[in-house]
Amino acid sequence: MKYVIDTHALIWFLEGNSRLGANANAVLSNPDSQLFIPAITLAEAVWIVERGKTSIPSTKNLLLAVEADPRIIIYPLDKDVIETTISLSTINEMHDRQIAATALVLASKGEKVELLTCD
């Protein structure tokens, strides 16, 4: 299965945080899961690590962990994502809008994806 990963799911999985829900942990631990990381997810994760809000020691460690996982595809913040973001005005947080928009764009391109949050 293919999943679009939100920021806290990514961070909590990488740091082994017990707050990560059991379903999310199972998906992220499954070697057969294909993981789409929206560019905005990665950018927000870098921001959180830079601010010391996680046990991940550095942005370099974060990026190395992402690069080392062959299941991960980083999806760009492109025009299609931005246009879809505009239609998601009921989602108040910009990053969440763009993450949801990424899932919708992938689905519109024929990908069968699910949005994976931390819970």
Side-chain angles (χ1 to χ4, degrees):
M1 185 65 187
K2 298 176 182 181
Y3 300 89
V4 174
I5 310 304
D6 99 336
T7 308
H8 281 93
L10 174 64
I11 288 176
W12 289 356
F13 178 71
L14 292 177
E15 68 180 3
N17 192 313
S18 63
R19 292 184 291 176
L20 182 65
N23 183 49
N25 191 43
V27 166
L28 292 168
S29 298
N30 184 338
D32 295 326
S33 294
Q34 186 173 359
L35 309 174
F36 287 97
I37 306 289
I40 194 66
T41 292
L42 190 55
E44 186 178 20
V46 164
W47 180 263
I48 291 168
V49 171
E50 284 180 341
R51 301 287 171 285
K53 304 286 185 186
T54 176
S55 66
I56 298 169
S58 71
T59 55
K60 182 177 181 176
N61 290 86
L62 169 69
L63 295 176
L64 286 172
V66 168
E67 290 171 3
D69 192 331
R71 303 171 304 153
I72 292 177
I73 297 170
I74 299 172
Y75 197 84
L77 181 58
D78 62 13
K79 183 177 180 259
D80 290 338
V81 172
I82 296 298
E83 287 177 348
T84 304
T85 298
I86 294 167
S87 70
L88 298 175
S89 61
T90 58
I91 301 174
N92 292 328
E93 212 280 321
M94 179 193 66
H95 299 98
D96 290 342
R97 273 193 204 189
Q98 292 173 349
I99 293 165
T102 300
L104 291 170
V105 167
L106 284 163
S108 76
K109 294 181 177 189
E111 296 284 356
K112 185 174 179 182
V113 296
E114 292 185 17
L115 181 58
L116 186 72
T117 64
C118 57
D119 55 4

